[in-house]
């Protein structure tokens, strides 16, 4: 695992004191994870990017209230998720269209022949079969490497609930994405 | 028997999730976000000071409590010790205090002035 030269804690302390460059480094570091988690929740890239951007903006505004003794990434991810939920509520009709299995087949992009495009479509459909909490839990645990306790803190639920969500989500995704998993083995 | 919920990250599924959820143009996104943040009004020095306010007040309260406890716990100096310190620091002749009769004001002043 690559250890960053400057730790999150150091950057967060500087950002909390108003250092925009330090916060910019945190944006660069966490943008991929924030966009993936937002996409798992919202189902499309455009809304996910808007939500991630709203989240980073809200985090910057709240930096002076951030407790620098606590870890930065669960705090940031909670803000990004709240931003994604807000956006999801505002665009509920559009989300329904984007997340429906039928829509995933109809709205293929120009690169629909590639494996990756197919994976994205299948994954989008598979994720719609999970609850919102399961989507977040499986993405944060398996894709982003968060610990159960961190996810529990982000979601505001007991750790056992996260373990259960990951277990059920994993079983469902393994079934829905079996062909991709077999290819990868 | 192992707990089915006590699992480690599934590397294979994690890789698929990242591939399937990864959004393109990371640099563009970061540039757009940083440009948006740059339009935010800068935080004033009062905002920065505000971040130090609560811990600063808490530290001051703790120091005040510790100081008041120290004052209460420290034994007050005796009258004799205080008087002896004053005599030593002013070079007042000890004869003034050894006499059975109290010294007159003139004698006391004279002794202090001579001592300088």
């Amino acid at each position: 695992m690559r250890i960053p030269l400057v730790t999150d804690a150091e950057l967060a302390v500087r950002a909390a004191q108003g250092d925009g460059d330090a916060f910019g480094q945190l944006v660069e570091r966490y943008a991929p994870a924030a966009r993936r988690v937002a996409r798992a929740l919202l189902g499309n890239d455009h809304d996910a990017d808007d939500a991630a951007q709203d989240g980073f903006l809200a985090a910057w505004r709240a930096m002076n209230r951030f407790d620098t003794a606590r870890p930065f990434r669960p705090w940031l991810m909670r803000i990004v998720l709240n931003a994604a939920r807000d956006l999801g509520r505002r665009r509920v009709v559009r989300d329904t269209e984007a997340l429906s299995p039928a829509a995933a087949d109809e709205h293929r992009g120009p690169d629909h022949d590639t494996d990756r495009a197919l994976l994205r479509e299948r994954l989008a459909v598979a994720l719609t079969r999970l609850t919102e909490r399961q989507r977040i839990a499986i993405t944060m645990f398996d894709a982003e490497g968060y610990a159960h306790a961190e996810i529990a803190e982000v979601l505001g639920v007991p750790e056992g609930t996260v373990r259960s969500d990951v277990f059920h989500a994993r079983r469902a995704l393994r079934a829905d994405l079996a062909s991709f998993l077999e290819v990868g083995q | 028997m192992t707990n089915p919920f006590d699992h480690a990250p599934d590397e294979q599924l994690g890789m698929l999730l990242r591939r399937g959820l990864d959004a393109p143009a990371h640099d563009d996104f970061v540039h757009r976000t940083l440009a948006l943040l740059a339009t935010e009004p800068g935080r004033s020095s009062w905002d920065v000071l505000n971040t130090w306010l609560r811990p600063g007040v808490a530290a001051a309260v703790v120091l005040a409590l510790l100081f008041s406890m120290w004052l209460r716990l420290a034994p007050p100096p005796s009258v004799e010790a205080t008087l002896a310190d004053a005599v030593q620091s002013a070079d007042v002749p000890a004869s003034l205090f050894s006499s059975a009769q109290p010294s007159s004001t003139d004698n006391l002043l004279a002794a202090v002035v001579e001592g300088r």
Side-chain angles (χ1 to χ4, degrees):
Chain A
M1 186 177 171
R2 200 164 45 125
I3 299 171
L5 290 175
V6 186
T7 65
D8 285 1
E10 290 168 321
L11 290 173
V13 166
R14 283 167 46 197
Q17 292 167 3
D19 185 338
D21 290 339
F23 191 76
Q25 289 182 58
L26 288 168
V27 170
E28 181 129 27
R29 193 172 286 180
Y30 285 107
R35 295 169 84 194
R36 281 193 292 262
V37 172
R39 189 173 189 277
L41 191 73
L42 295 170
N44 71 79
D45 286 340
H46 186 262
D47 285 353
D49 277 6
D50 283 353
Q53 209 166 56
D54 288 351
F56 282 121
L57 193 62
W60 173 237
R61 287 172 179 160
M63 269 316 292
N64 59 342
R65 297 193 299 277
F66 172 63
D67 178 359
T68 51
R70 296 179 68 81
F72 176 76
R73 71 175 195 167
W75 179 79
L76 173 70
M77 209 49 76
R78 189 164 57 235
I79 293 176
V80 169
L81 279 176
N82 285 338
R85 286 182 180 127
D86 285 348
L87 197 82
R89 278 192 287 271
R90 290 201 301 270
R91 298 181 182 172
V92 65
V93 175
R94 184 174 150 184
D95 277 355
T96 307
E97 288 173 357
L99 286 170
S100 70
D105 284 339
E106 287 166 10
H107 298 289
R108 288 186 171 184
D111 58 349
H112 66 271
D113 289 333
T114 65
D115 285 347
R116 189 161 176 270
L118 192 61
L119 169 65
R120 286 169 72 83
E121 287 175 6
R122 291 286 176 261
L123 181 60
V125 173
L127 287 172
T128 62
R129 299 194 176 113
L130 305 179
T131 65
E132 178 189 295
R133 211 176 58 204
Q134 286 174 339
R135 289 203 292 271
I136 296 165
I138 189 82
T139 306
M140 291 184 74
F141 188 76
D142 277 339
E144 307 304 336
Y146 281 68
H148 290 118
E150 285 181 304
I151 302 169
E153 189 185 332
V154 169
L155 292 172
V157 297
E159 200 178 316
T161 305
V162 175
R163 288 177 185 274
S164 168
D165 282 341
V166 170
F167 175 80
H168 291 293
R170 187 182 281 174
R171 194 167 59 178
L173 284 187
R174 277 201 157 272
D176 285 346
L177 303 174
S179 58
F180 294 97
L181 289 165
E182 283 160 11
V183 167
Q185 276 172 345
Chain B
M1 188 177 154
T2 57
N3 183 345
F5 296 152
D6 190 20
H7 32 62
D10 183 330
E11 296 289 339
Q12 200 185 20
L13 193 57
M15 192 192 68
L16 267 191
L17 278 164
R18 282 193 298 276
R19 273 188 66 207
L21 293 170
D22 248 343
H26 166 77
D27 289 344
D28 287 349
F29 175 83
V30 171
H31 274 118
R32 280 201 315 274
T33 305
L34 294 182
L36 185 71
L37 291 173
T39 63
E40 278 285 289
R43 288 172 50 203
S44 68
S45 51
W46 285 112
D47 291 330
V48 177
L49 281 176
N50 193 35
T51 62
W52 295 98
L53 186 65
R54 270 185 290 177
V57 168
V61 168
V62 168
L63 280 177
L65 280 172
L66 287 175
F67 185 66
S68 67
M69 279 174 64
W70 178 76
L71 281 181
R72 275 188 215 164
L73 291 175
S78 67
V79 175
E80 289 80 8
T82 308
L83 196 57
D85 286 348
V87 168
Q88 283 172 358
S89 64
D91 287 335
V92 178
S95 59
L96 286 176
F97 299 95
S98 59
S99 167
Q101 295 296 319
S103 302
S104 69
T105 311
D106 290 343
N107 286 344
L108 189 61
L109 281 172
V112 170
V113 170
E114 281 170 12
R116 291 187 179 179

